[in-house]
Amino acid sequence: VEPAQDGALAYGVVEGSPAALAGIEPSSVVVSVDGEPIGNAEDFDSREAPEPGALVSVQYYLAGELRTADEVVDGVVVAYAASGYAAHEAGISVGMVLVSINDTSIGNVEQLSEAMKLMRADQVANVTVMSYDEASDAFLVDPDITSLTLSDKWDYYEEYDPENNDPEYQGDAYLGGGFLNLGMRIEDVDY
């Protein structure tokens, strides 16, 4: 079986995310974001939101039909936030868009990873997130979430994934959550 078209397979879509609210479903094949061609998972994952929180259009195939989702909020979306860790304790929840942390704009998951390397556990960091507002039917900056105290990566791994914990994680800053570009878990189309 060969894929019908090149692109990035949305293996999963975060519930309540901008992508989900725009109608993008699991098994969609993303072929462009804001006019930028997406030929595979790497193209999608390395793509940087030029302005996190800005509105973009996403072209994708679903059931053989080319579709366009307009006005999708661009950026890194929260896929989960573990109870007792930084993101959850600050009120950050599934579907929210992470715009910046410690004055660093977050355009993709790689940028988030790089920003986290510059901080330490127990450090207080300012944060900007967007959440869905039903009244305006839009994602807006959440004024109630402006800072958080970063968790220790070692503590998180010790609780949730001890087999992959590493002593070098001690003191590393951690949000205690999962994050996906545009709120989609992406694989190559031949997945």
Side-chain angles (χ1 to χ4, degrees):
V1 175
E2 292 291 322
Q5 61 278 320
D6 290 333
L9 174 67
Y11 180 74
V13 180
V14 174
E15 188 176 321
S17 69
L21 293 173
I24 301 172
E25 301 175 27
S27 297
S28 296
V29 177
V30 177
V31 294
S32 75
V33 177
D34 221 24
E36 183 179 327
I38 303 294
N40 54 40
E42 184 178 338
D43 288 350
F44 184 88
D45 287 335
S46 64
R47 184 191 156 274
E48 179 183 325
E51 185 182 336
L55 300 178
V56 296
S57 70
V58 178
Q59 281 198 311
Y60 63 99
Y61 282 91
L62 182 63
E65 179 186 331
L66 181 62
R67 302 176 184 195
T68 301
D70 290 316
E71 298 189 353
V72 180
V73 175
D74 202 1
V76 175
V77 174
V78 180
Y80 70 88
S83 180
Y85 291 90
H88 182 267
E89 294 304 300
I92 296 172
S93 60
V94 172
M96 289 182 166
V97 178
L98 180 62
V99 177
S100 68
I101 188 163
N102 235 21
D103 301 320
T104 299
S105 180
I106 304 300
N108 61 25
V109 173
E110 179 64 30
Q111 285 183 340
L112 174 59
S113 179
E114 291 302 313
M116 295 304 294
K117 290 177 184 176
L118 301 174
M119 296 179 277
R120 301 294 298 160
D122 297 321
Q123 178 179 339
V124 175
N126 57 17
V127 65
T128 303
V129 296
M130 298 176 82
S131 58
Y132 181 69
D133 176 66
E134 282 189 40
S136 63
D137 189 30
F139 277 81
L140 304 174
V141 171
D142 193 319
D144 297 327
I145 302 173
T146 58
S147 67
L148 49 71
T149 302
L150 294 163
S151 299
D152 191 300
K153 187 174 183 177
W154 189 89
D155 291 342
Y156 178 88
Y157 271 80
E158 192 62 22
E159 182 172 351
Y160 289 105
D161 194 5
E163 293 166 4
N164 290 311
N165 205 356
D166 187 324
E168 290 186 13
Y169 290 166
Q170 290 181 339
D172 286 354
Y174 206 64
L175 291 170
F179 301 87
L180 296 170
N181 297 324
L182 276 170
M184 292 184 272
R185 179 176 169 207
I186 293 293
E187 300 287 347
D188 283 327
V189 289
D190 60 1
Y191 179 76

